[in-house]
Amino acid sequence: MRKRLRRRRGGLVDEPDYALVGVVRIPEVEKSPARAIGRRILWALIALFVCSIVVYLDRGGYRDAKGTPLGYLDSLYYSAVTLSTTGYGDVTPITESARLVNVIFITPLRVLFLIVLIGTTLEVLTERSRQAIKIQNWRNRVRNHTIIIGYGTKGRTAVDAVIADGGKPSEIVVVDNDPTALEHAAAHGLVTVRGDATKSDVLRLAGVQYAASIVVAANRDDTSVLATLTAREINPRAKIVASIREAENTHLMRQSGANSVVVSSETAGRLLGIATITPSVVEVVEDLLSPEEGYAIAEREVDPSEAGGSPAHTRDLVLGVVREGKLYRVGDAEVEAIEIGDRLLYVRQGGPA
């Protein structure tokens, strides 16, 4: 009874890796069909060659229908018909040693030969085994990654921004309940976890306890609040950035543990209003938010040569100074002089930092 209770508390995290196939998906490396077929044929030929050598070395233990000694061609012929399970019976093992070799060596080769060439059904089982091994390896090594909760329009855009800023797709984990969204994420080389992001066992399965940053891009504000609260409870150190639709929920997101909150409806509305008066301002803002080209907002450490100077006198256009986790605008009295350990928020040329 106690074991059952412990298992229920642990949920998905305590499930064996093979049980997580279909819940966690590790992206596959795309392979050419011609290469896959060629590799199968190569392995089949290797098995055939090895089998023929074994039979030829033990040719004294075999007899053909005419009673003549076996040559290598006879050994190759016997191997081919035996591995393909045809078996005409015109060449047979007659000594105990030859029959023992057939049992412990040639029979496993026959099974391997069939798996390589015509094991379509076994391919599914093999694929599940490969996925289980991949999931096990991934869970053992995943650290300091980025988790994207929700792979809608906001989630996809967030992934694009992370990758454009130098992030690797293999270090991004998408959590969503929508199979179609997860298919799109997997097609872009992202690790996916299917489940409700408000559940702690789903987030633990995504490695939220080891994550460096978490992006909450759910379609509903109540879902975002619960997901943020759950993620913060599991990982007190991660940087959590959340998107909400209504500004009145900002304080709830802050109380739930979000470091930054983006109000999507108000931000879009503000840009629409500005565009009616000064469209060029909107173009500049879009440029700053698109790191692939033009200008982009980035963050860097203070160079020792800049220590003691004003943020306005650095080589870059500095917008703010991050000191002990708090952002100060340029011109604030607290950051009149830059200190070692500060981080500068600045405008740089587009492209990965």
Side-chain angles (χ1 to χ4, degrees):
M1 183 68 177
R2 288 180 181 175
K3 287 184 179 178
R4 236 180 281 152
L5 286 173
R6 279 199 298 269
R7 184 181 181 87
R8 201 173 295 145
R9 285 195 200 105
L12 291 173
V13 182
D14 292 334
E15 292 287 348
D17 296 313
Y18 65 81
L20 299 175
V21 176
V23 179
V24 179
R25 182 173 176 181
I26 311 299
E28 292 279 354
V29 178
E30 293 294 332
K31 298 178 181 177
S32 164
R35 287 187 62 184
I37 294 172
R39 187 178 292 109
R40 283 172 172 264
I41 293 175
L42 178 61
W43 279 110
L45 291 175
I46 291 174
L48 178 61
F49 175 73
V50 170
C51 184
S52 65
I53 292 296
V54 171
V55 173
Y56 182 70
L57 292 176
D58 194 29
R59 58 189 178 278
Y62 291 81
R63 181 179 62 190
D64 65 3
K66 300 177 181 179
T68 59
L70 264 65
Y72 179 73
L73 183 60
D74 298 316
S75 301
L76 186 62
Y77 163 78
Y78 171 77
S79 300
V81 297
T82 300
L83 292 183
S84 62
T85 70
T86 305
Y88 296 114
D90 47 356
V91 179
T92 56
I94 57 173
T95 65
E96 292 184 358
S97 62
R99 290 175 177 175
L100 182 62
V101 169
N102 261 262
V103 171
I104 65 176
F105 192 81
I106 295 180
T107 298
L109 276 178
R110 183 187 301 120
V111 175
L112 175 63
F113 190 86
L114 294 174
I115 290 175
V116 169
L117 285 185
I118 55 176
T120 305
T121 304
L122 292 174
E123 175 86 15
V124 178
L125 298 176
T126 304
E127 173 60 25
R128 288 186 64 88
S129 299
R130 283 206 305 264
Q131 272 291 319
I133 293 172
K134 285 185 175 182
I135 290 171
Q136 182 183 36
N137 294 335
W138 174 78
R139 293 178 71 183
N140 289 335
R141 71 171 187 272
V142 62
R143 296 292 186 276
N144 299 320
H145 55 298
T146 299
I147 294 178
I148 308 292
I149 296 175
Y151 198 66
T153 303
K154 293 181 290 186
R156 290 194 298 271
T157 306
V159 168
D160 292 340
V162 172
I163 294 175
D165 209 33
K168 298 178 181 178
S170 59
E171 296 176 354
I172 300 174
V173 180
V174 172
V175 181
D176 205 307
N177 247 332
D178 184 1
T180 304
L182 295 179
E183 284 290 335
H184 288 301
H188 287 84
L190 309 176
V191 177
T192 63
V193 175
R194 178 170 55 84
D196 184 354
T198 64
K199 305 295 185 184
S200 60
D201 59 336
V202 173
L203 291 182
R204 288 184 184 277
L205 189 60
V208 73
Q209 62 272 34
Y210 308 119
S213 55
I214 303 165
V215 176
V216 182
N219 292 325
R220 293 168 53 99
D221 285 2
D222 54 351
T223 303
S224 297
V225 170
L226 285 174
T228 302
L229 188 64
T230 305
R232 178 57 72 202
E233 183 182 19
I234 298 172
N235 189 337
R237 302 173 303 280
K239 182 189 296 182
I240 300 180
V241 182
S243 170
I244 55 173
R245 293 177 179 271
E246 303 297 333
E248 63 186 18
N249 295 323
T250 302
H251 72 287
L252 290 176
M253 294 301 302
R254 295 283 188 186
Q255 291 175 1
S256 299
N259 300 100
S260 302
V261 181
V262 178
V263 184
S264 57
S265 57
E266 285 199 356
T267 302
R270 192 175 296 112
L271 288 175
L272 289 172
I274 294 173
T276 62
I277 304 171
T278 52
S280 56
V281 173
V282 177
E283 290 184 20
V284 173
V285 173
E286 288 180 344
D287 188 7
L288 291 172
L289 294 177
S290 303
E292 298 90 350
E293 56 185 20
Y295 291 96
I297 299 175
E299 187 177 311
R300 68 172 176 85
E301 294 181 354
V302 170
D303 190 271
S305 62
E306 298 170 329
S310 169
H313 297 154
T314 62
R315 64 179 184 272
D316 298 311
L317 177 58
V318 177
L319 303 177
V321 178
V322 179
R323 178 174 295 168
E324 296 179 354
K326 185 177 181 180
L327 174 64
Y328 296 94
R329 271 68 175 179
V330 172
D332 289 350
E334 292 85 350
V335 290
E336 287 183 355
I338 302 174
E339 300 176 359
I340 296 294
D342 290 345
R343 296 187 65 83
L344 302 182
L345 199 66
Y346 71 102
V347 177
R348 63 167 172 81
Q349 288 287 343

